[in-house]
Amino acid sequence: MRIALRTAALAYLGALVLVPLGMILYRTFENGFVAFYEQVTTPAALAAVSLSLTIVAIVVPLNVIFGVVTALALARGNFPGRGILQAVVDLPFAVSPVIVGVALILFWGNDGWLGGALPVIFSLPGMVLATIFVTLPFVVREVEPVLAEVGTDAEEAAATLGASKWQTFWRITLPAIKVGLAYGVVLTVARSLGEFGALTVVAGGVAGESQTLTLLVHARYIDDHNVFGAYAASTLLMGLALLTLVLMTTLQRKRA
Amino acid sequence: MAALALPKRRAASGGAGPLGLGIATLWLSIIVLLPLAAVLAKSLEGGVGGLVDAITAPSARAALLITVGVSAVVALINVFTGTLIAWVLVRDDFRGKSLVNAIIDLPFALPTIVASIVLLSLYGPRSPIGLDLYATKPALVIALAFVTLPFVVRSVQPVLMEVDREAEEAAASLGAGGWTTFRRIILPSLYPALLGGAGLAFARAVGEFGSVVLIGGGIPRETEVASQYIAKQIETDRPASAAAVSVALLAISFAVLFALRYATSRRER
Amino acid sequence: MRFLSALAAVLLALVAAACGGSSDEVGGGDNTAAASSETTSKLSLVAYAVPKVGFDKVIPLFNQTPEGKGVSFSQSYGASGDQSRKVEAGLETDVVNFSVEPDITRLVKAGLVDEDWNANEHKGIPFGSVVTIVTRKGNPKNIKTWDDLLKPGIEVVTPNPFSSGSAKWNLLAPYAEKSNGGQNPEAGLAYLEKLIGEHIKVQPKSGREATETFLQGTGDVLLSYENEAIFAERNGEEIEHHNPDVTFKIENPVAVLNNSKNAEKAQAFVDFLYTPEGQRGWAEAGFRPVDPNVAKEFAADFPEPKKLWTVDDLGGWDKVNAELFEPETGSVAKIYEEATS
């Protein structure tokens, strides 16, 4: 019985996840490593990698700062509307990425609420905003429960001993949330690298300028008819995803 | 002097202070709330009548129905396969189990467009096993099952780990078979986790775009899902229609999540 | 903490290192002329969905000229209408190349392109094509004429005219035949009603997506540019194309944006497209050149159809676009909307 269940579970996972992934890896490397390397080092591919990483480099610090502030407010605070704030933080999980793109266009675009006052759509700020939207919950949700669990005793003690708010934060609070924060950051990075739906709507998609790795994969498959190139870029993204997965698993163990 | 000062009582706004709260609120407003409000406003550009017209246009209605239908099927599939996988991970032991456990999170970490290409290579026109499901509803189911894999598994796993073994052993000693034990002792304690996980899976599935965009074919009224329809409306310069269907889709996700939260809190009482 | 900072450092290094570069060609295939020498200037090009194969030939040729030395290009391809709207909405670029003139007119109205963009002898159009019918290899369903498309059960793949320029050409071709050059609009529209209402199921966003959809197995017939059919065939796809006896002349305009930061170079590039070298580049890529001498050289590749209707025969793009394709009021727009919404 146990064997039957195990086989069923593994068969499902195999057919759904492992075999397709194996297919891509096989197709990517069946012509040798050099072919793969060439496809991921074309100028457009390098620019795409650079852009994807640039977005991550901007999104992570912003999410850390504002995420920790929000987590503090939610975990330690008791104010009217706390439930609403909590719900708003969870909101991005329920919003389709395409809708994120639409929302940004309708707010920041030339015909939007701000009348296009700031050049956001079709340029880097737009892509950053879209990515922040979809990654907003991660840091908050990972840090908040830790803050709630850890409690304020140590911080209050520090306050009585004369520590300033900043000192308390830096030396007491931050170390306590370190692991949760790291996990939230890893999730943020993974999600940022994978963002696609919102970017299709909001990004210029110009090769070499406003094309992230995910957009490059799509463009290669559909526009360039470069199926092998699409597989190669996908494998690159998969590699980054696997790296993130490893980090996630390691940090999960630390949390537990 | 400092030693005698009483520690500040927790201010009404908590550890972040009123400034922190203000910053958090402003941040959330600019990033999330205001843009979403713009969507709502645009959808009502033609009044409520305009909104209803946009949602009930045949292709829009079809897209929404397909989306909800396929997502519900996928959520249901996940209830079974998710429980099965969680069970095997918690109760079974074999070489490579920790690897399998880590793989569950892969769809979570993998970019959706990569998932689309990956599935297309095996189940599309270039399939080496001759299984071409391109532009069919089963293709949508496969893509969505892929991206929602972790939700039910990760919901159920912790609950399964905490299940009271004594009750199970008692049932077994009274002669109950495995399935009966599962059905009457274990399953009831899993309901909240199952509902929660299925709800998350559903909410994720209805909004999914990247993973269906290549393998689904986007055939209007057959395999075009709501997110693709919305993207199409934007590309053909019909933002009000895009906003209207967006509102409909959001309403559906919120309704399901809300209903699930209500159902699980009732059970827990 | 240290680990995270190390990670951050690596990220920053990667970000800084790999900036610039826009060609997606492997190794030697890119515009090596620009890559090997110093890049002296950069031009940005926003184009419709299918001309990349042409630009891939023409840009290196341009780099070999004195004006074009050291000029690198960043390029974006997509559905003509979609791309035009993006430029109007603020996407910065130097040169635009769209499928149909109205997509340039939109930018003229927005003040981004000067009104005299098409004042040269070729009216701003350096290359073109004809509308062709693409079928599976061997033409199993024997489809050669516009009437054949209306045979029962035939599924036609053509893009969505609200986002794609290719779609407009595809619909104008049978319209022109059936309406005898616009003299009998009812007959033309009657044909389109049948075609759109009964034979079209999918609505790909652009000409290239239509090709992709067709190649993935959807539909029996694809309507497209002759150059796109040639491109797919040269790629080894199992398809063939037939230019119907009566078809439509496709003319793809190019213009320079007046707010370009590199206007001189942009204009030099556009001028190059009309020179014999440039024209030969286009011809080799499968596009019909406008220079009559070059056209003669490549006459074998581009058979002359029995009757070739043009937009001018129908009264010019302003009239055609307003009467037929204007959303909500155009006759073809209304037919399409009815059938597919």
Side-chain angles (χ1 to χ4, degrees):
Chain A
M1 184 55 187
R2 181 196 284 190
I3 307 287
L5 289 179
R6 188 195 305 174
T7 319
L10 291 178
Y12 183 74
L13 284 175
L16 192 61
V17 180
L18 292 169
V19 176
L21 277 177
M23 264 311 311
I24 287 284
L25 286 172
Y26 174 70
R27 286 260 163 86
T28 304
F29 292 112
E30 71 180 330
N31 294 332
F33 186 76
V34 178
F36 163 73
Y37 184 73
E38 282 179 346
Q39 285 291 344
V40 297
T41 48
T42 70
L46 290 177
V49 171
S50 168
L51 181 61
S52 291
L53 292 178
T54 307
I55 294 179
V56 168
I58 299 176
V59 166
V60 165
L62 286 173
N63 264 322
V64 166
I65 297 173
F66 289 101
V68 170
V69 169
T70 312
L72 277 171
L74 283 173
R76 303 285 172 74
N78 208 348
F79 50 89
R82 184 168 171 272
I84 297 183
L85 200 71
Q86 185 80 60
V88 173
V89 165
D90 281 339
L91 209 52
F93 280 153
V95 179
S96 167
V98 170
I99 299 182
V100 174
V102 172
L104 288 174
I105 285 192
L106 291 176
F107 185 67
W108 299 95
N110 279 355
D111 295 324
W113 278 18
L114 297 183
L118 300 165
V120 160
I121 305 297
F122 300 137
S123 58
L124 185 63
M127 304 169 86
V128 168
L129 282 169
T131 311
I132 293 180
F133 189 116
V134 301
T135 53
L136 193 116
F138 291 123
V139 168
V140 180
R141 281 167 56 108
E142 293 303 323
V143 168
E144 196 195 327
V146 177
L147 281 175
E149 210 182 292
V150 155
T152 52
D153 296 340
E155 286 157 9
E156 282 169 16
T160 53
L161 291 172
S164 72
K165 272 192 130 172
W166 183 246
Q167 276 175 315
T168 314
F169 176 76
W170 193 251
R171 289 163 137 227
I172 311 271
T173 321
L174 202 51
I177 58 173
K178 211 170 41 169
V179 178
L181 185 58
Y183 191 69
V185 165
V186 168
L187 291 175
T188 302
V189 171
R191 185 69 180 82
S192 305
L193 289 174
E195 180 44 46
F196 175 71
L199 294 182
T200 341
V201 178
V202 137
V206 178
E209 275 181 16
S210 47
Q211 203 182 45
T212 60
L213 261 180
T214 50
L215 291 174
L216 181 76
V217 169
H218 185 255
R220 279 184 171 179
Y221 196 84
I222 294 284
D223 299 335
D224 298 351
H225 221 84
N226 181 3
V227 177
F228 179 68
Y231 287 165
S234 297
T235 303
L236 182 61
L237 271 171
M238 253 199 304
L240 292 170
L242 278 172
L243 187 63
T244 326
L245 196 61
V246 166
L247 285 171
M248 268 167 74
T249 319
T250 326
L251 286 167
Q252 252 168 353
R253 292 220 189 98
K254 272 197 180 175
R255 275 193 326 169
Chain B
M1 257 329 193
L4 289 176
L6 290 168
K8 278 205 167 76
R9 278 293 120 208
R10 195 185 302 163
S13 30
L19 180 64
L21 182 60
I23 292 177
T25 313
L26 192 63
W27 174 249
L28 288 173
S29 301
I30 294 183
I31 299 288
V32 177
L33 285 175
L34 289 176
L36 285 179
V39 174
L40 186 61
K42 189 75 174 178
S43 71
L44 292 168
E45 201 180 52
V48 177
L51 174 66
V52 172
D53 281 341
I55 297 178
T56 52
S59 281
R61 205 173 351 138
L64 285 167
L65 281 172
I66 292 172
T67 307
V68 170
V70 174
S71 303
V73 166
V74 169
L76 200 60
I77 291 178
N78 269 312
V79 165
F80 290 107
T81 57
T83 312
L84 170 68
I85 294 174
W87 180 269
V88 170
L89 285 175
V90 172
R91 293 296 179 90
D92 201 349
D93 209 1
F94 52 91
R95 261 186 29 202
K97 188 173 91 153
S98 48
L99 187 65
V100 173
N101 191 31
I103 286 179
I104 302 294
D105 280 330
L106 187 63
F108 207 61
L110 198 67
T112 50
I113 186 69
V114 174
S116 204
I117 279 207
V118 161
L119 291 169
L120 194 59
S121 74
L122 192 60
Y123 300 114
R126 292 186 181 91
S127 166
I129 53 175
L131 189 61
D132 183 1
L133 296 170
Y134 172 75
T136 60
K137 290 210 182 61
L140 294 177
V141 171
I142 292 180
L144 293 176
F146 184 100
V147 298
T148 52
L149 179 73
F151 291 113
V152 172
V153 176
R154 293 307 192 210
S155 287
V156 168
Q157 243 179 324
V159 179
L160 258 184
M161 288 198 279
E162 306 238 339
V163 155
D164 188 359
R165 292 297 202 119
E166 285 184 15
E168 275 183 73
E169 282 157 20
S173 70
L174 288 173
W179 175 243
T180 319
T181 315
F182 178 76
R183 200 166 39 92
R184 292 168 130 223
I185 313 260
I186 302 177
L187 200 52
S189 58
L190 293 181
Y191 280 143
L194 278 176
L195 277 180
L200 286 174
F202 181 84
R204 173 66 198 269
V206 294
E208 185 52 34
F209 178 75
S211 61
V212 302
V213 83
L214 289 181
I215 198 174
I219 301 183
R221 303 189 211 187
E222 273 181 43
T223 61
E224 186 181 52
V225 296
S227 55
Q228 287 174 301
Y229 180 83
I230 294 170
K232 183 172 75 176
Q233 297 305 94
I234 285 284
E235 284 154 12
T236 51
D237 210 16
R238 285 177 258 205
S241 168
V245 179
S246 299
V247 167
L249 195 61
L250 286 172
I252 293 174
S253 313
F254 293 164
V256 167
L257 287 173
F258 192 73
L260 280 168
R261 190 173 284 194
Y262 182 67
T264 40
S265 64
R266 273 193 69 203
R267 276 195 183 280
E268 273 160 13
R269 261 183 241 145
Chain C
M1 248 358 187
R2 254 180 298 151
F3 171 67
L4 283 175
S5 1
L7 196 64
V10 169
L11 277 184
L12 282 169
L14 274 166
V15 162
C19 281
S22 45
S23 134
D24 202 19
E25 301 302 311
V26 168
D30 68 348
N31 37 350
T32 42
S36 53
S37 57
E38 288 295 311
T39 296
T40 52
S41 41
K42 245 185 68 155
L43 283 184
S44 169
L45 164 74
V46 169
Y48 65 113
V50 305
K52 180 168 189 287
V53 57
F55 283 109
D56 284 344
K57 275 227 160 48
V58 170
I59 288 176
L61 290 173
F62 177 63
N63 286 138
Q64 284 167 22
T65 69
E67 300 88 24
K69 201 155 174 268
V71 179
S72 75
F73 282 79
S74 73
Q75 308 155 53
S76 165
Y77 298 98
S80 188
D82 213 25
Q83 296 281 75
S84 167
R85 267 188 288 273
K86 280 189 174 164
V87 174
E88 188 194 21
L91 181 61
E92 286 196 7
T93 188
D94 302 303
V95 179
V96 290
N97 167 215
F98 295 132
S99 173
V100 295
E101 196 182 279
D103 288 331
I104 303 237
T105 315
R106 180 185 284 118
L107 299 183
V108 174
K109 287 208 186 105
L112 292 166
V113 168
D114 288 337
E115 282 197 16
D116 62 352
W117 69 274
N118 54 354
N120 72 351
E121 69 167 295
H122 292 290
K123 306 250 193 73
I125 295 161
F127 57 88
S129 192
V130 295
V131 179
T132 192
I133 294 180
V134 183
T135 62
R136 309 277 168 206
K137 209 171 190 99
N139 200 352
K141 307 226 171 164
N142 200 19
I143 302 179
K144 297 215 178 93
T145 68
W146 297 113
D147 286 322
D148 287 338
L149 294 182
L150 297 187
K151 289 204 287 220
I154 297 291
E155 189 190 330
V156 178
V157 176
T158 175
N160 187 330
F162 293 117
S163 56
S164 162
S166 172
K168 293 184 175 166
W169 295 117
N170 293 342
L171 295 175
L172 281 176
Y175 175 81
E177 184 196 40
K178 296 294 165 188
S179 69
N180 197 22
Q183 288 171 3
N184 184 0
E186 289 80 32
L189 292 175
Y191 175 92
L192 288 182
E193 261 196 74
K194 273 232 186 68
L195 179 71
I196 297 173
E198 293 166 28
H199 298 270
I200 290 182
K201 244 175 40 173
V202 290
Q203 300 160 41
K205 185 165 86 168
S206 71
R208 175 53 55 84
E209 270 195 36
T211 311
E212 201 48 50
T213 305
F214 182 69
L215 291 174
Q216 301 269 27
T218 305
D220 306 298
V221 174
L222 167 72
L223 299 179
S224 189
Y225 308 91
E226 179 192 47
N227 55 267
E228 177 72 348
I230 293 176
F231 170 66
E233 282 161 14
R234 286 184 185 166
N235 260 353
E237 302 292 347
E238 299 279 300
I239 57 169
E240 56 184 59
H241 73 279
H242 297 270
N243 295 345
D245 289 338
V246 180
T247 185
F248 210 88
K249 183 172 188 206
I250 295 177
E251 300 165 301
N252 307 119
V254 176
V256 174
L257 290 203
N258 57 17
N259 63 355
S260 158
K261 300 205 172 65
N262 227 330
E264 257 187 55
K265 274 278 181 278
Q267 190 60 53
F269 177 63
V270 174
D271 291 337
F272 176 74
L273 301 179
Y274 297 96
T275 64
E277 296 85 36
Q279 288 286 296
R280 264 185 220 111
W282 285 109
E284 279 166 23
F287 295 77
R288 294 191 175 215
V290 295
D291 180 324
N293 297 328
V294 179
K296 252 191 246 155
E297 275 176 52
F298 288 86
D301 292 332
F302 302 120
E304 204 54 45
K306 290 215 180 72
K307 171 79 190 157
L308 192 63
W309 289 105
T310 70
V311 154
D312 286 331
D313 295 332
L314 296 178
W317 264 117
D318 288 335
K319 179 163 181 272
V320 167
N321 209 37
E323 277 180 14
L324 300 180
F325 294 113
E326 189 64 38
E328 316 234 333
T329 53
S331 16
V332 177
K334 281 203 281 217
I335 294 175
Y336 199 86
E337 189 79 38
E338 267 297 311
T340 60
S341 72

